[in-house]
Amino acid sequence: MASTHVKGYRRELLQQPSYYPTGKRTGNFSTTRAVYLSRSAFHLSFNPQDHRLNLFLVSSSLPYPRGNEELLLGKGEKTLATVEPNIRVPFGAPIFSAAVISMASTSALSQHPSSKSSPLQNEEQKWMVQDTEQSDADAEQEEISPYSLLTVRVIKMTNAHQADLLSHSDCYVSLWLPTASDEKFRTKTIKNCRDPVWNETFYFRIQRKVKNVLEMTVSDDDVICDDDHAIVLFDVAKIPLGKSMMVAFPLNPQESQELEVEFLLESIQDHPEAIVTNGAVVSRELACLEVEFDSRVKKKHFAENELTFTVRGSFEEVQKVSLASGSHSPLPDPTLFHYAKYKQPSLDIALTKKRRIPSFCACVTCRERKSRSIPLPLPLKSLPSEQEAISKCRKLGLLLKTKKCQEDLDVRLGFDLCAQEQDFICKRKKVVAAALKDILQLEEDLEDDEVPVVAIMTTGGGTRALTAMYAHLLSVQDLNVLDCVSYITGLSGTTWTMTNLYEDPDWSQKNLKKSLNDIRRHVLKNKFLACFAPDRLKYYLKELCQRKQEGHQISFTDLWGLIIESMFRDKEDSQKLTDQQQALNRGQNPMPIYLSLNVKDKVSDQDFREWVEFTPYEVGFLKYGAYIRAEDFGSEFFMGCLMKKIPESRICFLEGIWSSVFSLNLLDAWYISVNSEDFWHKWTQDRITDIDDETLFPKRPNELETRVVCPTDSFSDIFRDVVTLRPAASDILNFLKGLQMNNNYLESEFSKWKDCQLDSQPNHLTGAADYLILIDTAFVFATSYPPLMRPERKVDVILHFNYSSGSQTRPLKEASEYFAKQGIPFPKKVPDDKETPHLKECYIVGEKESPETPIVIFFPLVNDTFREYKAPGVRRSPSEMAEGDVDVTNSCGPYYINNLTYSEEDFDKLVNLSYYNVQNNKDLILQALRVAVERKKQQKKQQPLQKTPPAGDDGMGVPNRDASQYLPNCSAVGKMK
């Protein structure tokens, strides 16, 4: 009878597809691979004395059986776990081999497995009812996601690269699929062989809604450091479901090097996973593991011992716990781990025992303490949700409990504008409509859909940009055009102007001459005395220490932000980015947008760059459609959830990020000088080759091409480290940490901002990083156009104020070429230095192009008619001609980028020139605004009747989770606090 119970129980285990974890075994594909779930085999036996099922681990070094797993028993057996009746045992890799998991049950194993309802089926049914009820309760918010079992058999390699002089390579292959497991797996090493054969099989349990790219690395096993010869990037989506396929990857066609691998993708059933996606990125379901000590276990067993808990891929990763030896000392608080529930992580427990051993050091009389760790891995998949499991190992008692985390995300996944910005635009349109009616002398009021969105776009330029922008805004205000503007974007030096202005909630409604006089005083003052007096140095130290205590990452950029504060303010500025919301609550001012750039360490800016926009409401990535509240910037996030709130930074620290001249590296300097990185790429860039065989894998838009990456040699690595080093860049906690890429991310809004090489390597995008490296955008892209080019903002007219040094037309030309490449509407015919060597004060471009193309009013910083005219139509007298002599083109003149202090004469000349250039081109500005209004009216006439909202839309523009997979433009997918 007992034997019947065991065979029936084992048969049901082998039939459960949800028990296939990530793991490895040796041999060919077989229908009995569940026996080899975690690199080992198992054996079930029944104990009639205590009515328990015993699960035994069998060494995986034994030969693989052909159809009869019983052949493995009798040798290499180790008791793995004792399982109470009526409790299922899910598997994970590796299994908790040195401990026993005991879970209480409520009924005995009484039914025959051949009956209609077996104990395993009853327990499975009970668990499924719980999950189904929960899923039904959230049916409108959760999306059921399919799973597959990916089987990868690494067979052999031919003509391996000979890295050693006297022998062949010692090759092995490592496999990494981070969307399935945070562990890297590898084959055994084949010594001194040109054609190594491994014939080893690996299993990966994958979520098909995310982009799964398997990285297979062929390496040479060396004593000092392993050499990576080639890395194959293979998109799992290419594998047809249910079919086995053999692929020979050509690593080096010239040397006939090939890696032969067999793939099989099978669909499996499992508990539903609630995911949230906007079509580009995916937030997977989070679970929380709670580990605490059992109060019933005597603390003397823990005295002077330390436990290290590790959950790879979790938010916390590693935590250490020690128990005090005192009898009255309290137990430590529970240890928490937050992890992606369906990635099958394991809890690794290392018991560090400190023991005294004799010392052989003559200078030490006491015995020194040594420690040794006992690793105890436990698969978290084996723990029942919301139930306690008691783990016992050598008098070690732990209470383990897993529970579901919050459902609401703190990261907004959606490409649309946030609700606060949409509300601002509605209010601002009323102000703009009234202003346009006045300056254009319209007979009728404009309706909301007839009001064009006007923006001011500025470039960087240090103190030159700070000063000239004040003058430009004053001139625009005097033309009554400032009330027509809805957005102002800035980077680098112009962010200093913007943050100063937005300290006043009504700045645009007041005369800007007072603000201009205030900044004049700061530009003229001695910066060294203002910034490096002894009291200021003490102030810097105090602020940096306080910032460190709050939990922020400290860098030289923070010190630079404090120096900026000293240069342009009289006292400590307590303003924060969210305080600027007061300047927008009635639509009384244009909305500010600050731009920064996220880059990667040891990677060129041209190979990887991502736009990050800052508004008083949100901070986020244009590419991913992922945004957080502005007050949460700098806090710790994981999988879209706020894990640890850190106080919001003062605005001066953000200014340090937006205008960090110290984030420049040698490669940036070279690119700025010659506008090319070809020479450096030859020495620093990995060689990447597309090897897709279209006869085997027909090209589909959502699939990535199969590529082989040949890493650079050691010398090139050192060279790259030197030229890409950013010793003073700011490291910000990554609020996208843990998020994965959607399987169809290439077909989402992501594609509009896909502009660099790493965009095709989802395993290495921002979601996999711990920190953001934010730098000054001006080093890579001189303009702040990208936020205005979001189609959701629907910008119609842009006043481009240029403050860059060198060529005045290059920033506009660069923007035109960039957006043409991205397929984003932007004027194509723009001024060029070669075609127009003598620049005018103002150009209108895009006026005669498609209606979707914004009209750009381009103001280069040039001295044209100002030399002879002191005001529009008013010529200078001979005595006033010197006032018109303003040299803004000389890189060594008074307005060069590194000059932070101006003389009174230089300041006034730059202000007068900038003010005049706008006043002298009033007619062109009004002409562009008229064209924009006419465009809006024509679009209104041609606009078809609005369609009924699609299914899944709640009428407020916020689709539910089921619809979110197919609506990448949704404003906010899922619930958000």
Side-chain angles (χ1 to χ4, degrees):
M1 185 67 180
S3 176
T4 305
H5 280 303
V6 172
K7 291 182 179 179
Y9 199 100
R10 175 165 48 208
R11 182 170 56 253
E12 294 188 23
L13 277 174
L14 296 180
Q15 292 172 353
Q16 299 298 318
S18 62
Y19 300 133
Y20 293 3
T22 299
K24 163 192 170 184
R25 71 161 171 81
T26 303
N28 298 319
F29 293 166
S30 171
T31 57
T32 61
R33 64 182 166 276
V35 179
Y36 288 85
L37 293 178
S38 57
R39 313 179 192 171
S40 307
F42 67 86
H43 167 55
L44 287 168
S45 66
F46 183 73
N47 190 339
Q49 297 179 354
D50 55 5
H51 300 282
R52 286 175 177 243
L53 282 173
N54 294 320
L55 185 63
F56 292 93
L57 178 68
V58 183
S59 173
S60 59
S61 61
L62 296 176
Y64 177 72
R66 297 285 180 175
N68 185 6
E69 64 272 18
E70 298 291 343
L71 297 177
L72 292 174
L73 302 180
K75 179 181 180 182
E77 289 188 354
K78 296 181 181 179
T79 302
L80 177 67
T82 301
V83 185
E84 295 284 359
N86 205 31
I87 294 294
R88 67 174 191 167
V89 184
F91 290 83
I95 295 294
F96 196 36
S97 57
V100 178
I101 305 171
S102 177
M103 294 176 282
S105 65
T106 56
S107 60
L109 184 61
S110 56
Q111 282 188 290
H112 195 279
S114 61
S115 63
K116 293 183 179 180
S117 179
S118 68
L120 179 64
Q121 291 171 336
N122 289 338
E123 187 65 23
E124 181 75 18
Q125 202 171 34
K126 180 180 70 175
W127 283 36
M128 285 301 294
V129 167
Q130 293 175 356
D131 286 344
T132 303
E133 290 175 353
Q134 181 180 2
S135 179
D136 291 341
D138 297 330
E140 294 183 356
Q141 302 156 0
E142 295 190 350
E143 180 181 334
I144 309 305
S145 304
Y147 279 94
S148 293
L149 176 68
L150 171 65
T151 308
V152 182
R153 183 162 68 100
V154 181
I155 303 174
K156 64 179 181 179
M157 181 180 177
T158 56
N159 298 317
H161 174 72
Q162 184 173 349
D164 303 327
L165 295 176
L166 302 179
S167 64
H168 294 290
S169 296
D170 305 329
C171 286
Y172 68 89
V173 179
S174 60
L175 290 86
W176 185 48
L177 185 56
T179 52
S181 173
D182 292 285
E183 182 180 357
K184 285 189 177 182
F185 301 93
R186 56 166 289 179
T187 65
K188 61 179 177 291
T189 299
I190 306 296
K191 297 287 187 178
N192 191 22
C193 183
R194 179 177 176 83
D195 300 311
V197 177
W198 294 282
N199 196 32
E200 297 187 43
T201 303
F202 302 82
Y203 297 104
F204 298 94
R205 182 176 174 276
I206 66 172
Q207 159 69 264
R208 292 204 303 267
K209 290 296 182 183
V210 303
K211 177 57 70 176
N212 299 285
V213 176
L214 177 63
E215 297 191 11
M216 296 170 284
T217 305
V218 179
S219 303
D220 179 21
D221 195 348
D222 288 337
V223 177
I224 300 176
C225 181
D226 294 355
D227 296 326
D228 294 340
H229 294 326
I231 305 173
V232 178
L233 308 179
F234 180 69
D235 189 351
V236 175
K238 294 177 177 292
I239 306 173
L241 198 63
K243 293 184 179 179
S244 173
M245 59 188 312
M246 193 86 67
V247 182
F249 296 103
L251 304 183
N252 190 336
Q254 289 76 18
E255 300 180 8
S256 301
Q257 293 180 11
E258 286 188 345
L259 176 65
E260 191 171 322
V261 184
E262 185 179 8
F263 298 98
L264 175 63
L265 191 66
E266 300 170 283
S267 181
I268 59 176
Q269 299 297 321
D270 204 339
H271 298 295
E273 178 182 8
I275 67 171
V276 182
T277 181
N278 61 356
V281 294
V282 173
S283 172
R284 301 184 63 175
E285 185 174 342
L286 270 186
C288 179
L289 171 66
E290 183 178 298
V291 183
E292 62 179 322
F293 289 92
D294 188 357
S295 58
R296 296 168 291 183
V297 179
K298 296 181 181 181
K299 282 187 284 186
K300 66 179 183 180
H301 301 306
F302 298 94
E304 300 182 352
N305 289 336
E306 184 180 65
L307 283 175
T308 300
F309 301 110
T310 303
V311 178
R312 293 183 182 178
S314 68
F315 169 71
E316 293 81 2
E317 280 287 345
V318 179
Q319 298 193 67
K320 295 183 178 181
V321 178
S322 298
L323 279 180
S325 57
S327 59
H328 299 287
S329 57
L331 290 171
D333 295 332
T335 302
L336 301 179
F337 288 94
H338 297 82
Y339 60 95
K341 182 177 181 180
Y342 291 93
K343 283 183 67 175
Q344 287 195 322
S346 63
L347 170 65
D348 295 328
I349 307 173
L351 174 62
T352 304
K353 291 193 171 184
K354 298 179 180 179
R355 55 183 180 175
R356 297 179 180 273
I357 62 175
S359 174
F360 298 98
C361 180
C363 62
V364 179
T365 56
C366 61
R367 296 178 180 181
E368 65 177 352
R369 299 184 174 214
K370 296 292 182 180
S371 61
R372 89 189 146 89
S373 297
I374 305 174
L376 308 171
L378 168 67
L380 300 183
K381 180 72 174 175
S382 64
L383 299 178
S385 179
E386 300 294 346
Q387 297 183 29
E388 288 188 352
I390 303 175
S391 167
K392 299 178 181 178
C393 174
R394 300 185 182 182
K395 302 179 181 179
L396 169 66
L398 295 175
L399 298 177
L400 309 178
K401 181 191 295 185
T402 60
K403 55 186 178 181
K404 192 174 182 180
C405 293
Q406 65 183 52
E407 297 180 1
D408 300 344
L409 295 185
D410 298 290
V411 175
R412 183 177 71 87
L413 298 183
F415 289 91
D416 208 348
L417 306 180
C418 66
Q420 297 95 323
E421 184 174 343
Q422 293 183 32
D423 180 63
F424 160 78
I425 286 296
C426 292
K427 295 176 181 177
R428 186 63 181 174
K429 278 189 174 182
K430 301 184 184 303
V431 178
V432 174
L436 287 173
K437 182 181 180 182
D438 180 36
I439 64 173
L440 298 181
Q441 299 180 358
L442 302 177
E443 296 181 357
E444 299 179 354
D445 293 339
L446 293 175
E447 298 182 7
D448 285 352
D449 52 0
E450 297 174 340
V451 178
V453 178
V454 183
I456 290 178
M457 194 288 308
T458 63
T459 68
T463 308
R464 178 181 61 243
L466 165 78
T467 305
M469 184 177 180
Y470 267 104
H472 279 146
L473 291 177
L474 174 61
S475 188
V476 170
Q477 184 185 55
D478 289 346
L479 293 178
N480 296 323
V481 174
L482 188 55
D483 282 340
C484 302
V485 177
S486 297
Y487 293 104
I488 299 179
T489 62
L491 56 87
S492 196
T494 55
T495 63
W496 305 343
T497 302
M498 295 166 64
T499 54
N500 281 333
L501 289 174
Y502 280 89
E503 291 180 6
D504 185 351
D506 299 301
W507 68 268
S508 67
Q509 308 304 311
K510 300 177 181 179
N511 195 319
L512 289 179
K513 289 182 179 179
K514 182 180 183 303
S515 299
L516 182 59
N517 290 331
D518 289 341
I519 201 63
R520 182 178 188 270
R521 177 170 52 85
H522 290 296
V523 172
L524 300 183
K525 71 183 181 183
N526 187 303
K527 300 299 189 298
F528 183 81
L529 296 178
C531 300
F532 300 104
D535 60 324
R536 300 308 297 174
L537 297 179
K538 293 180 181 179
Y539 168 70
Y540 298 159
L541 180 60
K542 177 179 72 70
E543 288 296 313
L544 293 176
C545 291
Q546 180 181 346
R547 187 167 173 79
K548 180 68 174 178
Q549 292 175 358
E550 290 175 350
H552 293 282
Q553 300 293 318
I554 302 299
S555 67
F556 189 80
T557 304
D558 298 310
L559 177 60
W560 170 238
L562 293 171
I563 293 175
I564 294 173
E565 181 186 53
S566 299
M567 287 194 299
F568 302 114
R569 292 177 177 86
D570 292 319
K571 57 182 180 179
E572 176 182 340
D573 183 15
S574 60
Q575 180 193 187
K576 300 176 181 178
L577 182 58
T578 52
D579 294 335
Q580 297 182 9
Q581 295 177 12
Q582 300 177 15
L584 309 177
N585 54 13
R586 304 188 311 274
Q588 69 270 36
N589 299 298
M591 178 175 162
I593 305 177
Y594 308 91
L595 186 64
S596 185
L597 201 67
N598 180 46
V599 297
K600 277 189 176 294
D601 193 21
K602 300 181 181 179
V603 177
S604 164
D605 299 341
Q606 304 304 311
D607 290 338
F608 180 82
R609 59 185 182 186
E610 297 176 335
W611 311 112
V612 183
E613 69 171 34
F614 294 73
T615 74
Y617 302 122
E618 288 187 322
V619 177
F621 287 86
L622 282 64
K623 178 187 293 183
Y624 301 109
Y627 301 87
I628 59 171
R629 293 175 289 269
E631 60 266 28
D632 293 335
F633 178 72
S635 296
E636 297 187 48
F637 286 80
F638 183 69
M639 201 63 76
C641 296
L642 179 62
M643 309 303 295
K644 181 182 179 181
K645 173 65 177 175
I646 295 177
E648 183 181 359
S649 298
R650 294 194 292 119
I651 198 73
C652 67
F653 295 112
L654 297 182
E655 287 179 302
I657 295 174
W658 301 329
S659 59
S660 177
V661 296
F662 306 101
S663 59
L664 189 71
N665 60 29
L666 293 178
L667 203 58
D668 295 330
W670 176 268
Y671 182 80
I672 293 172
S673 301
V674 301
N675 199 28
S676 175
E677 289 185 354
D678 294 341
F679 173 78
W680 300 93
H681 274 183
K682 180 180 179 180
W683 298 98
T684 63
Q685 195 178 41
D686 296 336
R687 182 164 53 88
I688 301 178
T689 308
D690 295 335
I691 59 171
D692 254 342
D693 183 357
E694 294 191 5
T695 60
L696 185 61
F697 301 112
K699 192 172 183 179
R700 289 183 286 186
N702 68 319
E703 295 176 359
L704 294 170
E705 294 180 345
T706 305
R707 296 181 171 185
V708 172
V709 179
C710 295
T712 56
D713 55 27
S714 300
F715 174 77
S716 297
D717 287 342
I718 296 174
F719 186 69
R720 175 169 54 190
D721 292 347
V722 172
V723 298
T724 60
L725 179 65
R726 300 182 189 277
S730 57
D731 293 342
I732 307 297
L733 290 168
N734 182 14
F735 57 86
L736 297 188
K737 182 178 179 180
L739 296 180
Q740 300 175 358
M741 302 306 297
N742 190 290
N743 186 48
N744 299 314
Y745 80 97
L746 294 176
E747 298 179 293
S748 70
E749 292 293 309
F750 178 96
S751 60
K752 289 185 178 180
W753 305 102
K754 178 180 179 293
D755 60 353
C756 52
Q757 194 175 85
L758 282 184
D759 287 335
S760 298
Q761 298 182 31
N763 294 345
H764 302 277
L765 290 177
T766 302
D770 292 328
Y771 297 96
L772 306 176
I773 302 178
L774 301 182
I775 66 171
D776 188 340
T777 311
F779 295 141
V780 181
F781 199 76
T783 61
S784 56
Y785 273 116
L788 300 178
M789 294 298 100
R790 287 178 59 185
E792 299 79 20
R793 290 202 165 106
K794 303 176 182 177
V795 177
D796 301 291
V797 180
I798 302 174
L799 280 81
H800 176 152
F801 292 126
N802 199 75
Y803 310 121
S804 302
S805 58
S807 171
Q808 289 295 299
T809 61
R810 192 173 75 177
L812 180 59
K813 183 74 174 178
E814 180 185 49
S816 177
E817 294 173 351
Y818 174 79
F819 292 119
K821 182 180 178 181
Q822 300 304 125
I824 298 175
F826 193 84
K828 294 180 174 59
K829 190 174 182 180
V830 297
D832 187 273
D833 287 339
K834 297 178 181 179
E835 299 176 0
T836 55
H838 180 74
L839 287 178
K840 299 178 181 179
E841 297 159 346
C842 182
Y843 295 86
I844 295 182
V845 295
E847 180 184 13
K848 298 181 180 180
E849 299 187 28
S850 65
E852 297 79 15
T853 303
I855 301 172
V856 175
I857 310 172
F858 174 51
F859 283 92
L861 188 60
V862 296
N863 186 1
D864 185 18
T865 62
F866 182 71
R867 296 180 184 274
E868 300 179 0
Y869 291 85
K870 62 181 180 181
V874 182
R875 281 187 174 273
R876 296 184 184 277
S877 63
S879 62
E880 296 172 333
M881 294 301 292
E883 297 177 4
D885 185 14
V886 186
D887 187 4
V888 292
T889 60
N890 189 351
S891 58
C892 298
Y895 306 111
Y896 73 99
I897 188 68
N898 294 329
N899 189 9
L900 299 175
T901 303
Y902 292 167
S903 66
E904 293 185 14
E905 180 183 358
D906 292 334
F907 182 90
D908 294 339
K909 282 184 176 181
L910 181 59
V911 167
N912 293 335
L913 170 66
S914 303
Y915 183 89
Y916 169 86
N917 284 351
V918 173
Q919 292 289 316
N920 197 44
N921 293 277
K922 174 182 177 180
D923 293 340
L924 290 179
I925 296 175
L926 298 183
Q927 173 188 332
L929 293 177
R930 285 194 184 94
V931 172
V933 171
E934 290 301 319
R935 277 188 178 183
K936 299 294 287 187
K937 290 183 177 181
Q938 290 296 326
Q939 290 174 5
K940 181 180 179 180
K941 292 179 181 179
Q942 299 173 2
Q943 186 177 9
L945 296 176
Q946 289 190 355
K947 299 180 181 180
T948 306
D953 199 321
D954 59 6
M956 298 298 290
V958 183
N960 60 41
R961 293 192 183 189
D962 289 328
S964 67
Q965 184 69 19
Y966 310 100
L967 295 174
N969 292 326
C970 56
S971 59
V973 184
K975 296 185 291 183
M976 181 173 173
K977 293 180 181 177

